[in-house]
Amino acid sequence: QKLEKENRLTEETLRRELKTERKEQQQQQTCYSCAHILTGNEFKRRLKQQYKKYEKGMIEKLDAFELKLHFRNFMERLELPEYYVTMIRETMRTFFLELIKEVDEEEGRKKKWTHKGTHTTLFQILVDLGESHPHHGNIKGSKKRASFRKRYAHKHQQLVAASKEHINEAPNTPPPPVYTQFVPVYILGRYVKHLRGVPNSAWVIKGTRIGDSSVEEEIQLPIKDYFNAASVKFMSSGREDADVRMLGTGRPFSIKISKPTANVLDVSLNTLQEYINNQREQPYVTVNSLQYDQQSAERTHQMNKDAVSKRKRYRCVVHVTGNLLTRKLIDYIHQNATHGIPLTQWTPIRVLHRRPNIARTKHIYDLSLDYINASFAILELETSSGTYIKEFVSGDFGRTMPSFVDLCITASKELNLDTSEQLCTAQADILQLDVIKVETPLFP
């Protein structure tokens, strides 16, 4: 029993010594001044883990990538001169390029990667030893920077000491994060809204949702699912009211697809268009004229600019009280309104709670009327962007001048009709309104 006890103690001692020796070897092989950034095995393991999130075969189809290193702030805190930072960056870039090739060889991919500069390839590999590192925090503003220096000064001194004196008591900093991503994909197109009661975006009033869907969701959610993306941002060139249809060729829109992981390299826009349009048996919204956009920032700026300068064409059914419409009156307005009509519109009462009460000058470039009966007519007009069509027809209690009724009164007086005085007290309103065309140079 005494011999067995001695042997057991000897084994435990050897086990502790072996564990201590392995720990010392691991510490001696680690460069603490760069916080494990040159620990190749850990980098390769994390890179392989990142590759697994993509659709099978996507990495094999790539022939180029962009390597981004975020470590300048870390190097500055090590008090290194600028030329050292540049030299270390290029050395580390070469090091990581070799590790990326080794990962491909280990996973059986026989391919030759081409490393390209910023914005010249779809795929990015990012090694982040910058602001997001645990020892660096998220530093914005002078007060936070001062707070950071005070809180982490001792860790910074330990890292510098570890670099200069090669001691093994430096803090155990985890390896830096490794990320891979495809650059955002931008797609342009037009949408057609077939159904009334569908708002442009989700409409919630006092916690209650109005309607079961929106234009944004009908387009955005299928695209996010198709590309298996982290997020999708939808932006349209203006918007129509929820009870207004968008017909004709549709309204221009832009989609930003962030961090896609499927169907990026060989996607067919026709296939994507069918995928979006076939989400419902009777779709609320359909898309057409999809195309890739390579000038995303310029395109967004131009879209916002065109939202002010573009022209729109509307068609609506107008109702006038008193059975005062005649074919002669309608034909006269139709023939004499083709030269255009300037409008002065004060902010409509229905939106006065969220917009300033100011007068806006708008223009009707073209107006046509079709007679139905003494109470109804079909009105089609082309206007400048931002014209309130409902208020032009109703007059909005005199806040839009001239209104549709004002045109009828003027025409009846010029024709010497007996209905002139009755039209002064008549009221007009829109029963149905559709946008049938949106003209903009950005989307011919």
Side-chain angles (χ1 to χ4, degrees), residues 82-104:
E82 177 64 27
Y83 61 87
Y84 275 172
V85 174
T86 303
M87 180 180 64
I88 293 174
R89 181 180 63 245
E90 295 305 318
T91 302
M92 295 174 71
R93 188 181 300 279
T94 302
F95 176 79
F96 283 116
L97 290 176
E98 291 298 324
L99 289 179
I100 292 169
K101 292 179 182 178
E102 290 180 13
V103 170
D104 284 328

Side-chain angles (χ1 to χ4, degrees), residues 366-381:
D366 183 47
L367 184 148
S368 63
L369 277 167
D370 290 328
Y371 177 79
I372 299 177
N373 56 37
S375 298
F376 296 95
I378 295 178
L379 171 65
E380 187 171 318
L381 63 168

Side-chain angles (χ1 to χ4, degrees), residues 56-87:
K56 186 177 181 181
M58 284 185 63
I59 301 300
E60 285 74 8
K61 295 176 183 178
L62 290 168
D63 59 359
F65 69 97
E66 176 190 353
L67 178 61
K68 302 181 71 174
L69 302 178
H70 290 183
F71 70 102
R72 176 175 293 274
N73 292 333
F74 184 81
M75 291 301 175
E76 288 177 352
R77 293 188 180 102
L78 290 180
E79 301 175 354
L80 293 173
E82 177 64 27
Y83 61 87
Y84 275 172
V85 174
T86 303
M87 180 180 64

